[in-house]
Amino acid sequence: DSRDIDAEVASICPFCGVGCQVSLKVKGDKVVRVDGINGPANEGRLCVKGRFGFDYIHHPHRLTRPLIRRDDAPPKGLNVDPGNLLTHFCEATWDEALDAAAGGLARLRDDTGRRVAGFGSAKCSNEEAYLFQKLIRQGFGHNNVDHCTRLCHASSVAALMENVGSGAVTATFNQIEHADVAIVIGANPVENHPVAATYFKQFAKRGGKLIVMDPRGVGLRRFATHMLQFKPGADVSMLNAIMHVIVEEELYDRQYIAAYTENWEAEKAHLKAFSPEAMEPHCGIPAETLRQVAREFAGARAAMIFWGMGVSQHIHGTDNSRCLISLALMCGQVGRPGTGLHPLRGQNNVQGASDAGLIPMFLPDYQPVTDDGVRAAFSEIWASGDFSAEKGLTVTEILDAVHAGEVRGMYILGENPAMSDPDVEHARDALARLEHLVVQDIFLTETANYADVILPAAAFYEKDGTVTNTNRQVQMGRAAVTPPGDARPDWEITMALARRLGLDWAYTDVSEVFAEMKRGMKSLDNITWDRLEDEGAVTYPSLSPEDPGQAVVFGDGFPRAGGRARFTPADIVAPAEAPDAEFPMVLTTGRQLEHWHTGSMTRRATVLDAVEPEANCSLHPSTLRKLGVDPGGLVRLTTRRGSVTVMARADRAVSPDMVFLPFAYVEAAANILTNPALDPYGKIPEFKYAAVRVEKA
Ligand code: SF4
């Protein structure tokens, strides 16, 4: 009833990369309801997380005061009760906490040794991501700064940068309305990008050919013309076989290849060895199905390819994306309405945080730190001297460097490596070893358990700032309620820390940060704070102050030398560990509809926690029968890294030799089990494949 509402504020859902626009209904100083509004990505729609997963911001576990670890605290470990923090921490004033945080980091400041590193967050705004990377670079002189893109689409970005010249999507997902064929591979949008999935379903219902490829029989299969449930880790063999058919039957687009690509002859020659008949045993898909799919894709008037972390989180994740790029290029399916390459971004601002330079090898807009001219330009914008030309360490490399004693202090904003990193005990040991750890967050995350200083931050609906979704749409998030207690917006905290580290930062409003970003980021040309206030969203690139932005890019060539995209052939690389007699099954991890990432927000959202309160895994009914376990019973999952006990669900979507485990539950943390082996290009861990033993618990 609108009479019960004091205010309505337009903002952006804080969960997935779809970036749905929301209307927050406020009563007093509380958000009491969330409705969808007509944003460019959601057109009024919301999923269960956006609609019902908002009351975590009013949860009694919110951090409301700065905290400093007590001198007599027990040894660091995952041992703090979030309802009783004062056993380990003392409440402090902001001055005391900021002095302690900055003092500890400054003591470790050492340009040559790179003793300090930072994990920023895709949960924060563009301005906050920008300031975070600026703090590490300007304040510590090096590039040891990264965020969760490393665990998400780093391999996709590596392949796109290499072959297309840009890491962002070439077309918005909404362009599917102009397509007649679409591939969705290694993604489960029905659970992870639910509003995007509604567009995919509509596409199929109006006769579009939807080809779904995944080792799990994901929710979209009901709408698919083909469901290719291939063997885990066998993506390259399947995709190369499809491309083999397109070459063999000369179904490729000669004109497009000649006009817009390079290295075609090498790709063509490479694909000869990958006939569907030869690849059938590798990928488990009948040769005839591979041939049909090849003909269907090559025969499309307009086709799109969507992919998710089932593609990217492998040691051959970059190769998987190279194959998808090659498939689109050889059929000329980039640069027109209804065509394109679209890695579905995970977190709501992982695109924006990456654009803002929160990565160790790039400054904002993917400008290399190794380029003297680029560094000089940012030194001028920042009015400070040079910083290192050496690429920084990535998320997983930083934790290795902590073990090696090279990195001794960290500033972590909104990330939760004590839950999200592969082989998580290694990450937890690293956090415990740090001489000085500053954590800034809205809850006492598992990572904050190890902190020396905890800085309480504002949640998304408590601050203003821009975010950029999977579609390249820069959107305005707005504060609807005030932060609890002493909590403050992240950008204010980072600035206060910077000033104590001797940096002359004096932003009086977050819009001034956006204005500074525009000086170094051509992608923001024609996008101003005022425009975003008025229009809510502008897609980049925007070609004029009136242009709402380009939904489809690269119609007239690519941002690479000569304007040409590249074919990079990919070979089959086996997963890093194979099942054997001791660990005979395959573990794969991911998310589920109700819970977001490490669960810090959604497990504190009343409705979502009520629907999905318990750690669970999915096993095929026949596997459960063999184990003698009833659905709802407990199983023990063991890999070479560790063991968890978890409730088992019967699920025909997983094959009998596979187990799926969501990573949101600390009591059965999936990443105790996962393999930290890395893709050599994107440096992304192999979350999607580990050899596992499953037993009745
Ligand atoms: Fe939020 Fe994503 Fe759901 Fe939209 S689809 S409401 S952005 S979680």
Side-chain angles (χ1 to χ4, degrees):
D1 186 336
S2 60
R3 287 169 304 181
D4 290 340
I5 302 301
D6 296 330
E8 294 184 29
V9 179
S11 193
I12 310 296
C13 173
F15 296 113
C16 90
V18 171
C20 294
Q21 289 195 5
V22 293
S23 170
L24 306 173
K25 311 294 196 248
V26 180
K27 176 83 179 163
D29 204 20
K30 284 203 163 178
V31 177
V32 293
R33 202 173 80 225
V34 178
D35 293 325
I37 54 177
N38 192 23
N42 64 316
E43 299 178 293
R45 306 167 205 199
L46 289 182
C47 79
V48 65
K49 285 192 286 289
R51 187 172 296 281
F52 299 112
F54 60 87
D55 65 346
Y56 69 89
I57 63 173
H58 305 306
H59 193 280
H61 286 173
R62 279 293 298 276
L63 295 169
T64 57
R65 307 269 176 255
L67 299 166
I68 298 175
R69 181 169 286 274
R70 299 171 66 104
D71 291 338
D72 59 351
K76 287 183 179 179
L78 195 53
N79 53 7
V80 187
D81 174 358
N84 190 15
L85 303 169
L86 299 182
T87 52
H88 290 63
F89 298 96
C90 306
E91 289 188 348
T93 65
W94 270 110
D95 277 339
E96 289 165 345
L98 289 165
D99 284 346
L105 295 175
R107 271 193 299 281
L108 294 166
R109 184 157 39 185
D110 175 348
D111 284 354
T112 50
R114 303 195 297 182
R115 299 284 186 241
V116 171
F119 286 177
S121 179
K123 289 182 191 141
C124 294
S125 68
N126 289 328
E127 296 75 32
E128 290 166 341
Y130 173 84
L131 287 186
F132 192 89
Q133 59 86 34
K134 177 177 171 179
L135 176 82
I136 298 296
R137 290 180 161 125
Q138 195 185 28
F140 296 93
H142 56 66
N143 298 291
N144 276 356
V145 62
D146 205 355
H147 77 293
C148 69
T149 189
R150 192 66 42 210
L151 311 176
C152 169
H153 267 303
S155 51
S156 310
V157 171
L160 286 163
M161 293 291 288
E162 172 189 53
N163 298 296
V164 176
S166 163
V169 300
T170 73
T172 64
F173 66 74
N174 313 73
Q175 283 293 310
I176 197 169
E177 69 174 305
H178 305 297
D180 58 337
V181 176
I183 289 177
V184 179
I185 174 169
N188 187 7
V190 169
E191 297 204 51
N192 299 327
H193 302 85
V195 166
T198 64
Y199 289 85
F200 301 169
K201 292 174 194 172
Q202 276 179 341
F203 159 81
K205 281 182 182 166
R206 67 167 172 74
K209 289 176 183 159
L210 184 64
I211 300 164
V212 179
M213 305 171 170
D214 201 287
R216 275 207 299 156
V218 293
L220 273 183
R221 72 186 183 281
R222 288 197 294 121
F223 300 85
T225 45
H226 292 281
M227 172 72 219
L228 275 57
Q229 200 165 346
F230 59 96
K231 290 184 186 171
D235 322 46
V236 167
S237 61
M238 176 181 67
L239 295 168
N240 275 354
I242 289 168
M243 290 193 283
H244 172 102
V245 176
I246 293 172
V247 171
E248 184 187 59
E249 300 186 8
E250 299 193 4
L251 303 174
Y252 48 87
D253 185 335
R254 283 172 207 280
Q255 280 186 340
Y256 186 89
I257 291 167
Y260 293 118
T261 70
E262 63 185 34
N263 211 32
W264 170 238
E265 290 305 324
E267 177 78 38
K268 233 166 97 172
H270 177 77
L271 291 170
K272 279 207 172 91
F274 296 88
S275 74
E277 290 70 25
M279 292 303 104
E280 180 176 328
H282 279 271
C283 64
I285 304 296
E288 188 45 37
T289 305
L290 294 168
R291 288 185 179 278
Q292 278 173 19
V293 167
R295 290 172 196 138
E296 218 149 79
F297 187 82
R301 176 185 46 75
M304 296 188 75
I305 302 178
F306 299 92
W307 69 97
M309 274 146 253
V311 162
S312 61
Q313 291 176 336
H314 287 281
I315 59 163
H316 54 270
T318 304
D319 283 331
N320 289 345
S321 292
R322 286 170 173 154
C323 290
L324 297 171
I325 294 164
S326 293
L327 177 60
L329 291 176
M330 69 172 58
C331 297
Q333 295 293 4
V334 180
R336 291 177 288 116
T339 70
L341 293 158
H342 192 121
L344 286 155
R345 259 41 188 221
Q347 180 66 44
N348 79 332
N349 200 33
V350 72
Q351 181 65 59
S354 302
D355 297 343
L358 204 54
I359 23 187
M361 52 291 278
F362 295 119
L363 282 148
D365 260 2
Y366 308 92
Q367 299 175 81
V369 295
T370 48
D371 185 312
D372 293 344
V374 167
R375 282 199 325 286
F378 277 95
S379 291
E380 196 186 324
I381 294 168
W382 296 346
S384 74
D386 198 7
F387 50 92
S388 174
E390 194 180 339
K391 292 176 186 172
L393 302 173
T394 62
V395 162
T396 44
E397 289 170 340
I398 285 169
L399 295 173
D400 287 343
V402 174
H403 278 283
E406 290 156 14
V407 168
R408 297 183 189 163
M410 288 190 71
Y411 175 26
I412 300 181
L413 187 167
E415 293 267 309
N416 193 6
M419 279 290 284
S420 59
D421 264 52
D423 188 10
V424 79
E425 295 296 3
H426 173 270
R428 292 174 184 174
D429 284 352
L431 294 170
R433 275 166 191 252
L434 284 166
E435 288 171 31
H436 192 67
L437 173 60
V438 179
V439 174
Q440 184 169 316
D441 215 308
I442 64 173
F443 291 114
L444 182 102
T445 58
E446 288 72 19
T447 297
N449 274 249
Y450 297 85
D452 295 286
V453 181
I454 299 177
L455 305 174
F460 207 76
Y461 292 156
E462 297 162 352
K463 61 187 178 184
D464 295 331
T466 68
V467 285
T468 307
N469 69 359
T470 190
N471 279 346
R472 295 183 266 102
Q473 284 148 348
V474 185
Q475 308 200 84
M476 182 60 80
R478 294 178 182 87
V481 290
T482 51
D486 292 342
R488 292 160 65 172
D490 288 293
W491 71 272
E492 287 186 23
I493 305 172
T494 302
M495 180 169 76
L497 208 49
R499 290 172 69 86
R500 277 172 171 75
L501 288 163
L503 304 179
D504 184 20
W505 294 12
Y507 308 101
T508 57
D509 187 87
V510 69
S511 61
E512 293 169 14
V513 183
F514 186 80
E516 180 180 308
M517 291 168 68
K518 282 173 60 63
R519 292 177 62 198
M521 296 176 69
K522 276 198 72 54
S523 63
L524 296 178
D525 282 359
N526 296 309
I527 305 178
T528 62
W529 190 268
D530 287 348
R531 261 195 93 177
L532 292 170
E533 288 268 38
D534 288 347
E535 297 170 38
V538 181
T539 304
Y540 74 76
S542 166
L543 305 182
S544 73
E546 292 74 40
D547 177 18
Q550 302 293 301
V552 179
V553 291
F554 310 147
D556 53 358
F558 294 89
R560 296 185 76 253
R564 289 174 179 275
R566 179 184 164 81
F567 289 99
T568 296
D571 266 318
I572 296 171
V573 175
E577 62 180 19
D580 57 17
E582 201 181 349
F583 303 102
M585 291 176 61
V586 175
L587 168 80
T588 191
T589 66
R591 291 166 293 195
Q592 60 187 143
L593 176 62
E594 292 79 6
H595 287 306
W596 187 246
H597 288 184
T598 63
S600 56
M601 299 189 292
T602 52
R603 295 199 77 191
R604 292 179 172 101
T606 314
V607 171
L608 302 178
D609 188 52
V611 177
E612 238 358 314
E614 191 179 349
N616 56 85
C617 71
S618 300
L619 285 158
H620 194 273
S622 65
T623 312
L624 282 175
R625 269 196 304 279
K626 261 193 220 157
L627 292 168
V629 175
D630 291 329
L634 293 177
V635 290
R636 186 164 50 252
L637 312 180
T638 306
T639 69
R640 293 186 173 89
R641 270 82 42 202
S643 195
V644 304
T645 299
V646 60
M647 181 260 285
R649 282 196 175 132
D651 185 353
R652 290 185 189 282
V654 294
S655 53
D657 57 357
M658 196 176 175
V659 53
F660 171 76
L661 180 64
F663 66 94
Y665 300 93
V666 63
E667 62 273 33
N671 284 319
I672 287 176
L673 306 178
T674 48
N675 188 350
L678 298 181
D679 172 287
Y681 308 98
K683 306 279 178 81
I684 194 168
E686 191 153 64
F687 290 114
K688 288 291 186 274
Y689 195 109
V692 65
R693 181 170 68 245
V694 183
E695 300 158 294
K696 182 174 182 173

